[in-house]
Amino acid sequence: MSHFEGDLRVAPDSRFVVVASRWNPRIVDAMVDAARRTFADHGVLAESLDVVRVPGAWEIPLAAARAARRGYRGIVALGCVVRGETRHFEHVADCCAHGLMRVSLDAGVPVANGVLAVELHEDAEARAGGALGNKGEEAVLAVLEMAQLIEQLA
């Protein structure tokens, strides 16, 4: 019986991309910074990492789909949607998540969903370098592991 499990090794020619929204910049920028540091800490050179900025979470899946066609080994999606007084929150957050999963399955490229969907700005702050860690870092670790696993399964 074979056992497959990804690890955090990075192939030397690997290229990755972070697709991040500009909406809620204080939160998202903290996650992007953490993502860059985490990629660097795991041997991804600055020239092997691209960052694509889009207006908001709604636009992330389209940019991720285009990025998937460019040969990236993995995509990290980062954004922040905070509940408001309308159901717009659910629509944007759910459609973004579904779109990112579709990109991953259609392209066969790991896509880590680091798009926060939170009740309050304080909840986002806790997940962007606060008490609950940083989802930018966590998303990078997930995409690195999945990229290595996909390589094993090829």
Side-chain angles (χ1 to χ4, degrees):
M1 174 175 84
S2 298
H3 176 88
F4 299 94
E5 187 172 346
D7 59 36
L8 299 176
R9 287 179 289 153
V10 177
D13 60 342
S14 297
R15 292 189 50 76
F16 294 90
V17 63
V18 173
V19 179
S21 72
R22 291 191 309 268
W23 194 257
N24 289 313
R26 189 168 47 110
I27 301 300
V28 178
D29 291 351
M31 292 191 300
V32 170
D33 291 344
R36 286 181 184 193
R37 281 192 307 275
T38 305
F39 273 121
D41 290 349
H42 289 85
V44 177
L45 303 174
E47 58 267 15
S48 296
L49 176 64
D50 293 327
V51 176
V52 174
R53 296 306 289 252
V54 299
W58 185 261
E59 293 80 19
I60 292 173
L62 176 59
R66 290 292 180 148
R69 296 183 197 146
R70 294 185 59 139
Y72 291 104
R73 193 154 177 244
I75 299 166
V76 172
L78 300 175
C80 179
V81 184
V82 180
R83 182 180 299 280
E85 296 178 4
T86 68
R87 75 176 216 86
H88 183 71
F89 163 87
E90 287 91 355
H91 190 66
V92 171
D94 291 349
C95 288
C96 179
H98 291 298
L100 291 173
M101 180 56 71
R102 185 174 144 204
V103 169
S104 186
L105 294 173
D106 290 352
V109 175
V111 178
N113 183 356
V115 178
L116 301 176
V118 296
E119 296 292 322
L120 305 167
H121 281 281
E122 292 80 14
D123 298 332
E125 290 169 356
R127 290 162 178 79
L132 298 176
N134 191 301
K135 293 299 179 189
E137 176 184 359
E138 292 175 19
V140 170
L141 295 175
V143 89
L144 289 174
E145 182 176 339
M146 285 304 297
Q148 206 279 325
L149 176 64
I150 295 302
E151 184 178 288
Q152 290 180 48
L153 295 173

